[in-house]
Amino acid sequence: MTGKEEKPLVWIGSSKKDLMALSINVRKFFGHALDFAQRSGRHDAAKVLKGFGGGGVLEVVEDDAGGTYRAVYTVKFEEAVFVLHCFQKKSKSGITTPKEDMDIIRARLKVAEALAKELRYDKTNR
């Protein structure tokens, strides 16, 4: 990263607790991908999550013996990288993210937006 500060990582809802419940290998993989995001980079495994218009919401998918796991985060806001959701994909049909998980992601994205506005306000009103 050239001249830019590393963005802070902000966990929304239960995303950190959910991540910590995953296997060490999956946690390390997601941590590595999030580290890239904090440095304004994009891990090779990070893909745009469809349904959020544009490339601001990304997901990283990792498999291990226990199944398939996803970490969803947003880089939409200058203030921080917001981790929206970490979960095991349980659906056996296709690669579509289940509706319940999409609903959680949408709700937490709204929370992230409000937090980003607060951080922006704090920064400009010091």
Side-chain angles (χ1 to χ4, degrees), residues 69-88:
Y69 302 89
R70 294 180 177 193
V72 179
Y73 62 95
T74 184
V75 293
K76 252 171 114 157
F77 310 107
E78 216 174 279
E79 290 71 23
V81 173
F82 293 92
V83 183
L84 304 174
H85 195 26
C86 295
F87 62 102
Q88 180 174 8

Side-chain angles (χ1 to χ4, degrees), residues 3-102:
K4 279 189 177 179
E5 281 183 36
E6 184 176 299
K7 287 183 180 183
L9 205 54
V10 177
W11 302 88
I12 305 294
S14 63
S15 59
K16 186 166 190 176
K17 181 174 73 77
D18 297 339
L19 175 76
M20 297 314 284
L22 304 179
S23 77
I24 186 73
N25 291 339
V26 173
R27 288 200 317 255
K28 281 182 177 175
F29 186 79
F30 288 163
H32 189 59
L34 290 169
D35 186 54
F36 266 76
Q38 286 182 273
R39 297 170 193 278
S40 300
R42 184 155 149 192
H43 192 278
D44 290 344
K47 307 279 184 258
V48 172
L49 183 60
K50 289 174 178 49
F52 292 93
V57 177
L58 300 159
E59 76 170 336
V60 180
V61 180
E62 177 67 341
D63 295 311
D64 82 350
T68 299
Y69 302 89
R70 294 180 177 193
V72 179
Y73 62 95
T74 184
V75 293
K76 252 171 114 157
F77 310 107
E78 216 174 279
E79 290 71 23
V81 173
F82 293 92
V83 183
L84 304 174
H85 195 26
C86 295
F87 62 102
Q88 180 174 8
K89 184 181 178 300
K90 292 186 174 78
S91 163
K92 298 291 176 245
S93 57
I95 58 168
T96 310
T97 303
K99 183 187 180 319
E100 313 83 76
D101 291 305
M102 290 298 278

